[in-house]
Amino acid sequence: MTQVTFRQDGKTLTALLSGEIDHHGAAQLRAAIDDRIAAASPAILILDFSAVTFMDSAGIGLILGRHKLVSALGGVVVVQKAPKDIRRTLSVAGIESKE
C-alpha cells in the first residue's frame, strides 16, 4: 500500500513516500502531494523515497509532474534517499537522487 506523510519546516515541504509506486499508487500520491503543495506553496519540495519498495515509470511521471507544479510556483524539487534499485530507474530517466 502506498502512503505519504508530510513534514513542513518553513518553506520546505517534505513528502515521505512509502510502499509501491505503480500507476494506482502514483495517482493517490499525486492527489495528496498536490493538495499540500496548493496549501503550502513550498520553495522546496523534498520527495523522500527511503521507504519506497517498488517504483515503475508512474513514479517518474509523479516526480516530473511535481517538478512542473513546484517550478511554476518558483520552487524546486529534491529527490532523496532512493533505494539502490530505484536510483537506477531514476538515473535512466535523468533524475538525480541525493543521499
Side-chain angles (χ1 to χ4, degrees):
M1 178 173 197
T2 305
Q3 294 183 324
V4 60
T5 55
F6 296 97
R7 281 193 327 244
Q8 178 121 20
D9 184 15
K11 293 299 276 178
T12 300
L13 176 63
T14 301
L16 303 155
L17 311 173
S18 64
E20 297 184 359
I21 302 176
D22 56 12
H23 177 73
H24 184 260
Q28 293 174 336
L29 293 173
R30 185 178 312 114
I33 294 169
D34 287 357
D35 286 348
R36 286 302 287 260
I37 290 170
S41 297
I44 301 169
L45 171 64
I46 298 172
L47 298 174
D48 184 321
F49 278 76
S50 59
V52 174
T53 56
F54 170 83
M55 184 184 83
D56 64 15
S57 61
I60 301 297
L62 173 75
I63 295 167
L64 296 178
R66 291 340 87 212
H67 170 73
K68 183 177 179 180
L69 183 60
V70 172
S71 292
L73 298 171
V76 297
V77 173
V78 176
V79 176
Q80 72 177 23
K81 299 181 182 175
K84 185 178 178 181
D85 292 344
I86 294 172
R87 271 198 315 269
R88 275 195 295 260
T89 302
L90 293 171
S91 178
V92 168
I95 298 171
E96 181 182 339
S97 175
K98 304 206 183 289
E99 291 302 314

